[in-house]
Amino acid sequence: IPDYFSTNAIQFDVSGDVWLSSYDGLIKYDGSTWTKYNSGNSELPDDDINAFFIDKSGTKWIGTRYDGIALFDGINWTILDTSNSDLPSNEITAIACDSTGGMWFGTVSHGLIKYDGTTWTRYDTSNSNIPDNEITTLACAEKNVIWIGTGNYNLVSFNGTSWNAFNH
């Protein structure tokens, strides 16, 4: 591993390569070679990566601290941010994918976002029963139930219709 690289997420792609994300960029290990991606040598807009997920097609979804979401298919980069999408914040804290391929994003202060490939849906304290707009972690379970950790230490589940909050 390159010097000064602290890992905050580990994912495996369809080839079995290991991907590590950190506050210093993204690293791929193919079993023999380490390849580092950062804002200096790629189109990654921000080296500070808060969230990382590889979907079933192998696309890397990279949630940055200040510059939205970078998608990387191994060749091409696509950047989604507040200037070119309905993403309400460029500060991404968590990423998860449900069984239908819907991508879920947590933000620092703008709640929970779902992206189905076409439509962006925002859930926050003003339009849902989510108890906090700061999302710290996400996970998808069976039947597309999304589990949400919030900044005020609540655990919340959402099945697409109803919210269930487990307060501390």
Side-chain angles (χ1 to χ4, degrees):
I1 297 176
D3 290 341
Y4 308 110
F5 194 87
S6 62
T7 302
N8 62 16
I10 301 170
Q11 293 278 302
F12 297 90
D13 67 19
V14 294
S15 300
D17 296 338
V18 180
W19 289 80
L20 311 170
S21 69
S22 82
Y23 304 112
D24 300 318
L26 189 64
I27 290 183
K28 175 181 126 177
Y29 180 63
D30 66 8
S32 62
T33 304
W34 297 92
T35 305
K36 184 173 182 179
Y37 300 89
N38 61 33
S39 60
N41 68 5
S42 72
E43 293 180 47
L44 188 63
D46 185 351
D47 294 339
D48 198 345
I49 300 170
N50 286 339
F52 180 60
F53 186 83
I54 300 177
D55 68 20
K56 290 179 183 177
S57 72
T59 299
K60 290 81 181 159
W61 294 77
I62 306 158
T64 69
R65 181 171 174 107
Y66 299 112
D67 292 305
I69 301 162
L71 285 77
F72 181 54
D73 65 8
I75 298 170
N76 299 304
W77 292 85
T78 302
I79 309 303
L80 300 173
D81 60 27
T82 57
S83 73
N84 66 2
S85 73
D86 286 334
L87 198 60
S89 171
N90 287 331
E91 297 177 285
I92 306 301
T93 56
I95 299 175
C97 182
D98 64 30
S99 64
T100 66
M103 297 301 299
W104 294 83
F105 306 100
T107 66
V108 170
S109 61
H110 291 84
L112 178 68
I113 314 302
K114 181 180 181 184
Y115 179 59
D116 66 8
T118 304
T119 303
W120 297 83
T121 306
R122 178 177 174 184
Y123 301 97
D124 61 30
T125 56
S126 72
N127 69 357
S128 72
N129 287 331
I130 198 167
D132 189 0
N133 287 331
E134 180 185 357
I135 309 302
T136 57
T137 189
L138 296 172
C140 288
E142 291 182 16
K143 300 179 184 174
N144 289 328
V145 174
I146 184 98
W147 287 85
I148 307 144
T150 71
N152 63 7
Y153 306 108
N154 286 321
L155 177 64
V156 182
S157 66
F158 178 56
N159 66 9
T161 305
S162 59
W163 299 84
N164 192 7
F166 304 90
N167 297 322
H168 61 316

